[in-house]
């Protein structure tokens, strides 16, 4: 911005006049900045619209997936075990009896008066403790020095090795300490064989062979596999978590059964209902967003300007098209026994919402739950159809994908609108820069003219002062 400082003593009022001219010239930029503000508001509004549509797209895509409708849950309450299901679980009732829970082997040494006294020989070298387990490919090997052969030293060395075994020193009472070795994994694959090389005395104290059940250790807890009987078929596994007995069902065994228990696997109507209500919420949220972005406040009598409360996209044809197209999909009849949403208990609310939105969806939860219980396959057919061209969710999902596409050469309505606004903003920015340069040039010319005028006025003032002085002396 060109400015003027001091035009000299003869400039009386020229500085103020210059600043007034500058302000007048710069009003030419106001129209451009006003347009920029309008388009930036529209760009922000399209961002909000895109976000709301993306949320609806996610919820709609969920309704269009077979896995959503094939979801199952355990409807029975069981004591000896718990069970969870995946989408591929078969619906039905199974007789389950837990004969045996898996246990991890625990071995203990004899009693020692101290947990810090050396148990091995004094060799001046290290000895190696090797713990082998059938289910572990690489044996756990621990080297200990003479000073580390106490119960506490051995436990510390084994735990630091971070293998499949934990070691603890148990104090039964004063003067009664024992080392306990416990497999981290359950089942017979966790059975431990402990051997010591380089120290026969320590071998005698902690050595143990699980195959022959001989050595210096005592079996505190025997390793055993889990055994569960499902519909009279015995299933044995190393762990109490069984994932491959029944497709899609994960058992977690807790205790031996006192009697047969029923495992009931049913369709997850609650999960299905949530997927539908989540979609309704997303749809209504989009309607609320559109209502906010296109809100129009009538001009008050006597006021010619539009209200600042108007939505940034009021009267926007793209928004009207999006809203109309999506609403149209809701009223299309689908093939199958369930053809319209009203049969599911989903209807359009004719009343105006608190935020002024009209056409929100409302859900009769009791009717929806009954429909999901009585005829889940028909509901799946309504939403998915053939998964390509039919089905309400399938159609809406494809429509939203198209509207929200950002692919080059195949951009959707949202991206095209944003691209158009950005192009306009770029053009306005260039116009602003050009106009500002033009104004600066004009003001520079004014400044040169005002400076010349200031010099002339100053000379004339000096001449006048000189003549006045001369005449006053006569």
């Amino acid at each position: 911005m060109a400015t003027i400082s001091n035009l000299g003593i003869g400039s009386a009022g020229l500085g103020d006049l210059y600043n007034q001219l500058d302000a007048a010239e710069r009003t030419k930029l106001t129209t451009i900045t006003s347009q920029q503000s309008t388009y930036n508001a529209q760009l922000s509004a399209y961002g909000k619209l895109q976000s709301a549509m993306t949320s609806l797209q996610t919820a709609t895509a969920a309704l269009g997936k077979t896995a959503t409708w094939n979801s199952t849950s355990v409807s029975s309450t069981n004591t000896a075990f718990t069970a969870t299901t995946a989408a591929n679980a078969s619906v039905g009732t199974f007789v389950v009896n837990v004969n045996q829970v898996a246990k991890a082997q625990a071995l203990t040494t004899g009693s020692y008066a101290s947990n810090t006294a050396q148990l091995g020989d004094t060799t001046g070298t290290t000895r190696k403790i090797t713990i082998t387990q059938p289910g572990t490919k690489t044996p756990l090997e621990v080297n200990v020095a003479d000073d580390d052969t106490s119960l506490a030293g051995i436990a510390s060395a084994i735990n630091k090795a971070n293998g499949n075994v934990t070691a603890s020193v148990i104090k039964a009472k004063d003067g009664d300490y024992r080392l306990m070795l416990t497999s981290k994994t359950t089942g017979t694959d966790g059975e431990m064989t402990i051997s010591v090389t380089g120290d026969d005395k320590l071998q005698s104290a902690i050595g143990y062979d699980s195959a022959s059940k001989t050595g210096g250790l005592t079996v505190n807890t025997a390793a055993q596999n889990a055994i569960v009987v499902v519909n009279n078929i015995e299933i044995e596994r190393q762990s109490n978590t069984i994932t491959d007995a029944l497709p899609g069902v994960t058992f977690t065994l807790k205790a031996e059964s006192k009697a047969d228990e029923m495992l009931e696997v049913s369709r997850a109507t609650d999960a299905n209902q949530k997927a539908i209500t989540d979609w309704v919420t997303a749809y209504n949220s989009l309607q609320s967003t559109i209502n906010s972005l296109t809100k129009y406040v009538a001009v008050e009598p006597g006021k010619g300007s539009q209200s600042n409360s108007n939505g940034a996209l009021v009267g926007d044809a793209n928004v009207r098209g999006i809203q109309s197209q999506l609403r149209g999909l809701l009223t299309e009849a689908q093939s199958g026994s369930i053809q319209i949403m009203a049969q599911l208990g989903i209807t359009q609310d004719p009343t105006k919402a608190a935020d002024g939105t009209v056409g929100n969806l409302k859900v009769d939860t009791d009717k929806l739950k009954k429909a999901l219980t009585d005829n889940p396959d028909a509901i799946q057919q309504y939403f998915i159809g053939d998964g390509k061209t039919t089905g309400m969710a399938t159609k809406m999902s494809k429509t939203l994908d198209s509207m929200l596409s950002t692919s080059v050469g195949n951009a959707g309505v949202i991206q095209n609108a944003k691209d158009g606004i950005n192009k306009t903003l770029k053009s306005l920015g260039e116009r602003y820069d050009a106009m500002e340069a033009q104004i600066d040039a004009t003001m520079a010319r004014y400044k040169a003219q005002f400076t010349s005028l200031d010099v002339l006025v100053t000379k004339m003032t000096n001449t006048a002062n000189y003549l006045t002085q001369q005449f006053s002396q006569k």
Side-chain angles (χ1 to χ4, degrees), residues 14-212:
L14 291 182
D16 289 341
L17 178 58
Y18 175 89
N19 290 333
Q20 291 172 11
L21 288 171
D22 182 73
E25 284 290 323
R26 294 193 180 279
T27 58
K28 298 175 182 178
L29 297 174
T30 303
T31 301
I32 299 176
T33 56
S34 177
Q35 289 178 321
Q36 286 176 323
S37 296
T38 298
Y39 282 110
N40 276 316
Q42 290 179 1
L43 191 63
S44 176
Y46 266 110
K48 294 177 182 178
L49 178 62
Q50 184 178 26
S51 178
M53 290 174 67
T54 299
S55 296
L56 178 60
Q57 180 189 39
T58 300
T60 305
L63 292 181
K65 294 178 181 177
T66 303
T68 299
W69 303 103
N70 288 346
S71 59
T72 57
S73 63
V74 175
S75 53
S76 58
T77 301
N78 303 107
T79 303
F81 66 93
T82 58
T84 57
T85 61
N88 61 328
S90 299
V91 173
T93 301
F94 306 88
V95 181
V96 180
N97 190 297
V98 179
N99 284 359
Q100 182 174 289
V101 294
K103 294 181 179 180
Q105 185 188 51
L107 305 175
T108 56
T109 64
S111 175
Y112 292 91
S114 170
N115 68 335
T116 58
Q118 183 176 324
L119 303 184
D121 291 321
T122 301
T123 64
T125 60
T126 59
R127 71 277 299 130
K128 181 166 65 177
I129 302 173
T130 303
I131 304 177
T132 305
Q133 296 171 284
T136 304
K137 293 181 179 181
T138 304
L140 177 65
E141 296 181 345
V142 181
N143 294 314
V144 293
D146 290 342
D147 295 340
D148 294 328
T149 62
S150 65
L151 296 181
I154 294 170
S156 176
I158 290 175
N159 289 332
K160 285 181 180 178
N162 197 27
N164 193 46
V165 176
T166 58
S168 306
V169 177
I170 307 298
K171 181 181 179 180
K173 58 184 178 181
D174 288 343
D176 184 358
Y177 295 91
R178 307 171 191 218
L179 174 67
M180 177 179 287
L181 302 178
T182 306
S183 171
K184 290 183 180 179
T185 53
T186 57
T188 55
D189 280 351
E191 288 184 329
M192 297 172 284
T193 293
I194 298 96
S195 62
V196 180
T197 55
D199 192 332
D200 292 340
K201 186 177 179 181
L202 189 58
Q203 166 67 27
S204 178
I206 67 170
Y208 184 78
D209 188 335
S210 281
S212 62

Side-chain angles (χ1 to χ4, degrees), residues 76-82 98 252-258 261-262:
S76 58
T77 301
N78 303 107
T79 303
F81 66 93
T82 58
V98 179
T252 301
L253 308 187
K254 298 162 57 180
E256 293 182 4
S257 298
K258 295 181 179 179
E261 296 186 38
M262 298 297 159

Side-chain angles (χ1 to χ4, degrees), residues 153-448:
I154 294 170
S156 176
I158 290 175
N159 289 332
K160 285 181 180 178
N162 197 27
N164 193 46
V165 176
T166 58
S168 306
V169 177
I170 307 298
K171 181 181 179 180
K173 58 184 178 181
D174 288 343
D176 184 358
Y177 295 91
R178 307 171 191 218
L179 174 67
M180 177 179 287
L181 302 178
T182 306
S183 171
K184 290 183 180 179
T185 53
T186 57
T188 55
D189 280 351
E191 288 184 329
M192 297 172 284
T193 293
I194 298 96
S195 62
V196 180
T197 55
D199 192 332
D200 292 340
K201 186 177 179 181
L202 189 58
Q203 166 67 27
S204 178
I206 67 170
Y208 184 78
D209 188 335
S210 281
S212 62
K213 296 180 173 51
T214 59
L217 300 181
T218 301
V219 177
N220 184 266
T221 301
Q224 67 179 32
N225 294 338
I227 299 176
V228 60
V229 178
V230 180
N231 284 2
N232 293 322
I233 299 175
E234 185 177 285
I235 298 161
E236 182 175 356
R237 298 290 187 272
Q238 294 285 328
S239 170
N240 287 316
T241 301
I242 302 174
T243 61
D244 57 355
L246 288 174
V249 178
T250 296
F251 288 98
T252 301
L253 308 187
K254 298 162 57 180
E256 293 182 4
S257 298
K258 295 181 179 179
D260 288 343
E261 296 186 38
M262 298 297 159
L263 169 64
E264 296 176 2
V265 179
S266 57
R267 283 187 179 269
T269 54
D270 288 345
N272 296 157
Q273 186 163 344
K274 183 178 184 303
I276 293 173
T277 55
D278 284 350
W279 173 79
V280 169
T281 299
Y283 180 85
N284 289 343
S285 179
L286 173 60
Q287 301 311 305
S288 179
T289 298
I290 290 175
N291 178 70
S292 173
L293 298 178
T294 60
K295 179 176 65 173
Y296 175 72
V297 179
V299 178
E300 295 181 17
K303 293 185 177 181
S305 60
Q306 295 291 332
S307 171
N308 291 329
S309 299
N310 286 342
L313 299 179
V314 61
D316 190 285
N318 288 329
V319 181
R320 290 198 303 270
I322 290 169
Q323 189 173 45
S324 176
Q325 197 169 352
L326 293 178
R327 281 179 174 173
L329 291 173
L330 301 183
T331 58
E332 284 188 15
Q334 306 299 322
S335 61
S337 57
I338 294 180
Q339 297 181 325
I340 57 175
M341 285 194 303
Q343 292 174 268
L344 304 177
I346 304 173
T347 56
Q348 286 192 329
D349 192 345
T351 61
K352 184 180 291 187
D355 63 355
T357 305
V358 178
N360 279 347
L361 298 178
K362 62 179 182 178
V363 181
D364 183 331
T365 55
D366 291 336
K367 187 173 182 179
L368 176 59
K369 189 168 186 177
K370 186 176 187 305
L372 286 167
T373 302
D374 294 346
N375 204 350
D377 290 334
I379 297 178
Q380 176 178 334
Q381 175 65 25
Y382 170 78
F383 282 108
I384 297 181
D386 63 6
K388 297 178 180 179
T389 58
T390 63
M392 194 281 288
T394 298
K395 288 183 176 181
M396 183 171 286
S397 186
K398 288 183 177 298
T399 298
L400 286 167
D401 287 347
S402 176
M403 289 177 173
L404 293 169
S405 175
T406 58
S407 300
V408 177
N410 193 33
V413 60
I414 299 296
Q415 189 61 45
N416 282 330
K418 291 170 68 176
D419 288 345
I421 293 172
N422 280 321
K423 184 177 180 180
T424 300
L425 284 171
K426 181 180 179 181
S427 176
L428 286 172
E430 292 171 349
R431 282 177 55 196
Y432 185 96
D433 292 342
M435 180 62 70
E436 188 174 44
Q438 181 181 334
I439 292 171
D440 288 344
T442 299
M443 296 313 300
R445 188 171 65 253
Y446 283 157
K447 183 176 182 180

